[in-house]
Amino acid sequence: MSLSIGIVGLPNVGKSTLFNALTKKKADASNYPFCTIDPNVGVVNVPDERLEKIAAISKPKKIVPTVVEFTDIAGLVKGAHKGEGLGNQFLAHIRECDAICEVVREFKDDNIVHVSGKIDPESDRETINMELIFADLAVVEKRLAKAEKEAKSGDKDAIKLRDLLVKLKAGLEAGKALRELELDEEERKTVKGLGLLTIKPIIYVLNINEIIPPTPPCEGGQSPLTPLNKGGIFDWDGNVLTLNARLEEEIAGLPETEQKEYIKELGLDQSGLDKLIKASYSLLGLITFFTTGPDETRAWTVKNGAKAPRAAGVIHTDFEKGFIRAEVINWEKFIEAGGEAAAREKGLIRIEGKDYAMQDGDICNFLFAK
């Protein structure tokens, strides 16, 4: 499965600079509002050291990481929902995305104008979020007018949809993003089909002009990604990640062999981009499993909690339809054993059936009936 992230923000906050750093595609990042006049789309690899370590054992002909797609649109401005600026024209591209990355400017630079004339992250975030709320409200009101007519027939599904839309409308009119509303699983499934913006999970990138020191790892060895919205500077409705987009673009422009050394010289444990990509990947509750052999070592993406047949179907639909069983081993045990053959001899490869819930880091071999 693919994951797509839509990048939004005011003009001149560093959106296109961040996009350039992420994709190494030179989207125009000139110093003037509305310089991005077409949506830029780029696909980037999800950093995963496990993939390289597994490949070092299997020695495959090819290594295939999992990927994230980023879409960068023109900057939004106050009044975008009424047609102000260019960003509103491209919101349709963001509606197709799975999640939103909102870039908020904190850096100060007299040479780069701010569309409102002052640096105020809280105000900027509020402006963008209200524009997204207004855009959603227009969609909900239009759909509600139709649903009210359909509900007059007495059809239960039509009535249920009408009531849900009334609930959404009330929340939006109160200035709430839909992700803040309490919705049951059925309601969320219906809302997802409406292509609304504020129901999507969100990550905020606070663009600074300093260097962020590495944060101590938390339980499980992962670095915390939300240092600012846990009793810190901002209390926003999503993960907050600080990074220096200009510095990240500089790092990304170096040869790959020099990037790690430069990051180390800066006193960092990993690039801000790697943190952002990983945070974006985990934003929707995704996990990674692997397949490996002499031809290919590959990372695959499934929802956390997905059963083995569903994971098999990510590789090929026939695998899910004819699923028999899965041979599974944790990636660390695979490496400790020295490969598949040794792992089999030691009895480390488990046989799992249709009810097995996939775990992050599983290495799998699926058996299916043709």
Side-chain angles (χ1 to χ4, degrees):
M1 64 184 294
S2 60
L3 170 65
S4 59
I5 307 290
I7 303 176
V8 302
L10 292 170
N12 286 357
V13 298
K15 292 190 308 87
S16 293
T17 300
L18 178 63
F19 180 83
N20 290 343
L22 282 165
T23 64
K24 299 182 184 177
K25 285 176 62 177
K26 286 297 175 183
D28 192 356
S30 304
N31 174 31
Y32 55 91
F34 318 128
C35 66
T36 307
I37 59 174
D38 291 307
N40 298 295
V41 179
V43 177
V44 300
N45 294 334
V46 175
D48 196 328
E49 292 181 355
R50 298 174 299 182
L51 189 63
E52 298 293 335
K53 291 178 179 179
I54 294 168
I57 300 294
S58 298
K59 295 180 172 51
K61 297 174 184 175
K62 185 168 60 172
I63 302 174
V64 184
T66 190
V67 297
V68 175
E69 180 180 278
F70 285 90
T71 299
D72 174 36
I73 66 168
L76 297 171
V77 295
K78 190 172 184 178
H81 68 287
K82 296 183 291 187
E84 297 291 332
L86 296 176
N88 188 53
Q89 301 174 27
F90 303 109
L91 282 179
H93 297 279
I94 301 300
R95 291 190 188 281
E96 300 301 317
C97 293
D98 299 301
I100 290 176
C101 170
E102 183 173 327
V103 182
V104 181
R105 177 174 172 177
E106 196 277 339
F107 72 87
K108 298 172 178 64
D109 189 332
D110 293 338
N111 296 316
I112 301 178
V113 297
H114 190 288
V115 71
S116 63
K118 63 177 181 178
I119 306 300
D120 187 341
E122 191 68 61
S123 176
D124 290 358
R125 171 198 171 263
E126 183 66 17
T127 296
I128 293 299
N129 284 6
M130 286 308 299
E131 291 306 320
L132 299 182
I133 286 172
F134 284 132
D136 276 355
L137 185 58
V139 173
V140 168
E141 288 177 334
K142 183 177 180 180
R143 187 66 185 87
L144 178 57
K146 182 180 178 182
E148 286 176 334
K149 294 178 182 178
E150 294 170 343
K152 289 179 181 179
S153 67
D155 181 79
K156 290 183 179 180
D157 290 337
I159 293 172
K160 192 178 294 186
L161 175 59
R162 178 203 62 192
D163 293 345
L164 174 58
L165 290 167
V166 168
K167 180 178 179 179
L168 300 181
K169 183 173 181 287
L172 292 167
E173 288 178 334
K176 290 184 177 180
L178 296 180
R179 72 182 72 88
E180 298 180 62
L181 299 185
E182 290 188 14
L183 302 173
D184 61 34
E185 188 174 343
E186 185 180 347
E187 289 175 327
R188 288 191 174 277
K189 186 176 181 180
T190 301
V191 172
K192 187 176 181 181
L194 298 175
L196 299 172
L197 296 162
T198 63
I199 193 66
K200 300 180 187 297
I202 190 167
I203 182 169
Y204 295 97
V205 169
L206 193 67
N207 190 8
I208 64 171
N209 51 8
E210 307 137 37
I211 297 176
I212 297 293
T215 49
C218 37
E219 188 176 349
Q222 298 296 315
S223 296
L225 296 169
T226 57
L228 295 181
N229 63 333
K230 302 267 184 175
I233 300 173
F234 301 113
D235 184 16
W236 293 348
D237 63 335
N239 288 348
V240 181
L241 178 65
T242 56
L243 57 76
N244 182 330
R246 184 64 66 190
L247 176 62
E248 296 298 334
E249 185 181 35
E250 181 183 337
I251 294 172
L254 294 172
E256 195 168 333
T257 53
E258 297 178 20
Q259 289 182 23
K260 288 185 179 180
E261 187 61 34
Y262 187 36
I263 291 169
K264 187 177 179 181
E265 288 176 4
L266 292 171
L268 305 177
D269 52 359
Q270 62 180 316
S271 74
L273 288 187
D274 283 355
K275 289 182 179 180
L276 173 58
I277 296 168
K278 290 176 181 178
S280 300
Y281 183 76
S282 64
L283 192 58
L284 294 177
L286 301 174
I287 61 171
T288 300
F289 72 93
F290 305 94
T291 53
T292 190
D295 292 327
E296 177 184 272
T297 294
R298 183 165 184 157
W300 304 88
T301 301
V302 291
K303 281 277 192 181
N304 190 12
K307 298 297 176 65
R310 180 70 192 95
V314 172
I315 300 174
H316 197 289
T317 53
D318 287 348
F319 289 13
E320 182 173 8
K321 293 175 183 176
F323 180 89
I324 298 175
R325 64 181 182 273
E327 297 179 337
V328 183
I329 182 173
N330 173 269
W331 73 278
E332 289 180 306
K333 289 185 177 180
F334 176 87
I335 290 171
E336 289 171 6
E340 181 179 344
R344 286 188 184 280
E345 289 179 7
K346 296 178 181 180
L348 298 176
I349 296 179
R350 312 186 311 273
I351 302 300
E352 302 288 358
K354 294 182 178 181
D355 293 331
Y356 175 68
M358 298 294 295
Q359 302 297 309
D360 187 55
D362 279 345
I363 297 177
C364 301
N365 179 34
F366 297 105
L367 285 79
F368 67 102
K370 296 182 179 179

